[in-house]
Amino acid sequence: MGLCFSRKAVIKNRPSKRISNHSAAVPAGGGGSSKWARIRSSSSRREKFDESVIHERALAAAILFQQQLQQQQQNGDAVQFDRSTSLRYPTGVSSRRQSSGLGRSSSSRASCSCINNWIFLGSNLDQSKMKVFHNLCEVKLEDLETNHFVLVHGGGFGAWCWYKTIALLEEGGYKVTAIDLTGSGVHSFDTNSITSLPQYVKPLTNFLEGLGDGEKVILVGHDFGGTCISYAMELFPHKVSKAVFIAATMLTSEQSTLDMLSRKADSNNLMQQAQIFLYANGNTHPPTAIDFDKSLLRDLLFNQSPAKDVALASVSMRPIPFAPVLEKLSLSDKKYGSVRRFYIETQEDNAIPITLQESMINESPPERVFRLKGSDHSPFFSKPQALHKLLVEISKMSST
């Protein structure tokens, strides 16, 4: 779900291409130029190969899990997993570098992304804006209140959907935890048996409860994950430094997710067509979960995403428990209201229309609103680099 606050919306400019002058370092024969081209070509091939391998492994793992889950369900057994969270920590060096004893390359992408975005736009910006950007770039990870992101997926998704975001954040030195909520991702609980929001959010609240004294995190929620992090913010406001809502439900007190979404239900025919209600307790009882028509997934959730990510989602998504969607949140200014909130809206969103995003933002304005141009409902697939830069920027924003 996505929200948008037009009065404070920050439009991300398209990053300018950096053009370096290599002629000064090229000998008279021009050999340096061809060498530079070969280096760039080799680097590009390696990046494409690495991304391809990541995609193939993620897809293979998802298919294997689905096959195992189906087999276990047919046998009447529960699929057992060691834990419901995917814990990812930055090592600072790759396994190859560890074995060779080499440190992290000085040319790593851990350098500040703000520089890449703005350094060549200086002539078009006033001095006050340039000062803001330079201040952000000068902030070091060790000086932040926290460099730990906790990623919470949306309805039907799992920790798997964050694989690009996890890789980018960890490469920049951040600590990342991606949560599988109850009955989601590799969490083995039956979705149809989930009867409340606290039960659904239990893996997240358990994680926050286990944080050390004084330890804080940046909560990031996507879609229905916005409701989930709001619930957690009310319980553990002292453990949440910032909260980021990405195309997410951002509710007011005594409001349910269904209350918010039903406002624009008539105008979202695609959502109505894609929804499949599941009745595990029989048709005479309320629905127990909501599933999506696989043939409509691309148009609804991934209309700007790569085909390989759509394929991954099609074999990984699970039904959404219905009871938590009905539950009204109880949010207080003292607890929930004390956490700094940020919203990232998705302009090409067919699941949560931009008008609904704006409605949520206007009713409960966050500190800042950002806009991802050309993003569908799943920016971690369609705009991973742009999303990563926004998360890094938010992490470095001081309270002053």
Side-chain angles (χ1 to χ4, degrees):
M1 305 166 191
L3 311 180
C4 169
F5 190 35
S6 57
R7 291 173 299 178
K8 299 178 69 176
V10 178
I11 304 177
K12 291 290 290 182
N13 291 320
R14 185 185 301 274
S16 297
K17 294 183 179 179
R18 181 166 184 169
I19 302 176
S20 301
N21 183 3
H22 300 284
S23 59
V26 178
S33 177
S34 61
K35 180 179 179 181
W36 173 253
R38 289 196 300 271
I39 293 174
R40 291 173 57 187
S41 176
S42 174
S43 175
S44 176
R45 286 196 299 270
R46 283 197 302 271
E47 290 179 0
K48 290 181 180 178
F49 174 76
D50 291 343
E51 183 180 358
S52 177
V53 170
I54 291 174
H55 275 292
E56 291 175 1
R57 289 177 179 174
L59 188 57
I63 294 174
L64 181 62
F65 167 69
Q66 286 290 76
Q67 292 173 343
Q68 183 184 10
L69 182 62
Q70 291 172 2
Q71 182 178 0
Q72 293 287 354
Q73 288 175 341
Q74 290 172 359
N75 296 335
D77 300 327
V79 183
Q80 299 297 324
F81 295 93
D82 291 337
R83 53 186 172 179
S84 61
T85 58
S86 301
L87 301 180
R88 305 295 299 271
Y89 301 101
T91 61
V93 292
S94 66
S95 57
R96 184 175 65 179
R97 289 184 179 276
Q98 286 175 333
S99 61
S100 63
L102 297 177
R104 190 185 185 108
S105 169
S106 60
S107 61
S108 165
R109 269 189 271 176
S111 59
C112 181
S113 60
C114 303
I115 297 176
N116 295 331
N117 285 340
W118 300 107
I119 195 167
F120 292 101
L121 300 178
S123 59
N124 297 325
L125 298 173
D126 58 42
Q127 292 300 314
S128 61
K129 291 181 180 179
M130 284 297 295
K131 183 177 180 181
V132 171
F133 296 135
H134 280 295
N135 288 341
L136 285 174
C137 292
E138 291 172 359
V139 177
K140 298 180 180 179
L141 288 183
E142 55 267 28
D143 297 331
L144 299 179
E145 183 179 26
T146 180
N147 68 347
H148 188 174
F149 280 95
V150 175
L151 309 178
V152 182
H153 62 81
F157 292 84
W160 53 267
C161 73
W162 299 105
Y163 78 95
K164 293 181 181 179
T165 303
I166 291 171
L168 290 169
L169 287 172
E170 287 185 343
E171 188 175 359
Y174 286 90
K175 181 178 178 180
V176 186
T177 302
I179 302 288
D180 272 326
L181 299 175
T182 305
S184 305
V186 298
H187 192 286
S188 59
F189 199 83
D190 181 11
T191 306
N192 291 291
S193 300
I194 299 173
T195 58
S196 69
L197 182 63
Q199 182 185 13
Y200 181 58
V201 186
K202 191 66 172 173
L204 173 61
T205 54
N206 282 348
F207 175 81
L208 293 174
E209 189 174 14
L211 291 175
D213 293 339
E215 188 176 356
K216 290 190 175 186
V217 298
I218 299 174
L219 280 184
V220 180
H222 168 250
D223 185 78
F224 186 37
T227 300
C228 300
I229 67 171
S230 297
Y231 175 81
M233 290 157 63
E234 179 68 20
L235 291 180
F236 303 100
H238 58 290
K239 294 188 176 184
V240 184
S241 172
K242 297 168 184 172
V244 185
F245 294 74
I246 304 174
T249 44
M250 188 167 64
L251 310 179
T252 57
S253 188
E254 302 306 319
Q255 189 177 51
S256 72
T257 303
L258 184 62
D259 290 338
M260 175 59 71
L261 296 182
S262 60
R263 293 183 179 184
K264 300 293 181 180
D266 294 339
S267 62
N268 196 347
N269 293 327
L270 184 58
M271 174 66 78
Q272 293 180 350
Q273 295 172 21
Q275 287 178 341
I276 302 173
F277 289 91
L278 305 180
Y279 296 84
N281 299 326
N283 292 336
T284 58
H285 294 82
T288 53
I290 308 170
D291 207 351
F292 289 118
D293 184 339
K294 293 291 190 289
S295 67
L296 297 176
L297 276 182
R298 174 185 286 278
D299 292 338
L300 181 66
L301 304 174
F302 312 112
N303 49 298
Q304 302 293 326
S305 297
K308 48 194 172 184
D309 289 324
V310 181
L312 172 63
S314 67
V315 297
S316 303
M317 293 190 71
R318 296 175 64 182
I320 307 166
F322 191 62
V325 177
L326 301 176
E327 196 160 332
K328 296 182 183 294
L329 288 181
S330 179
L331 305 174
S332 66
D333 291 338
K334 183 178 180 180
K335 295 180 179 179
Y336 170 83
S338 67
V339 180
R340 300 174 65 191
R341 287 180 293 124
F342 302 83
Y343 200 92
I344 299 177
E345 64 175 28
T346 47
Q347 285 192 304
E348 305 298 327
D349 197 324
N350 288 337
I352 310 297
I354 195 67
T355 52
L356 181 55
Q357 299 181 29
E358 292 174 345
S359 176
M360 288 189 284
I361 289 178
N362 287 329
E363 287 190 15
S364 181
E367 180 177 323
R368 290 282 299 276
V369 177
F370 301 86
R371 178 176 302 166
L372 276 177
K373 287 186 176 181
S375 173
D376 55 23
H377 186 61
S378 308
F380 37 75
F381 288 158
S382 59
K383 292 290 181 180
Q385 294 283 355
L387 174 61
H388 166 252
K389 290 177 181 178
L390 285 183
L391 292 176
V392 170
E393 183 176 345
I394 291 171
S395 75
K396 295 183 178 182
M397 286 185 172
S398 64
S399 57
T400 55

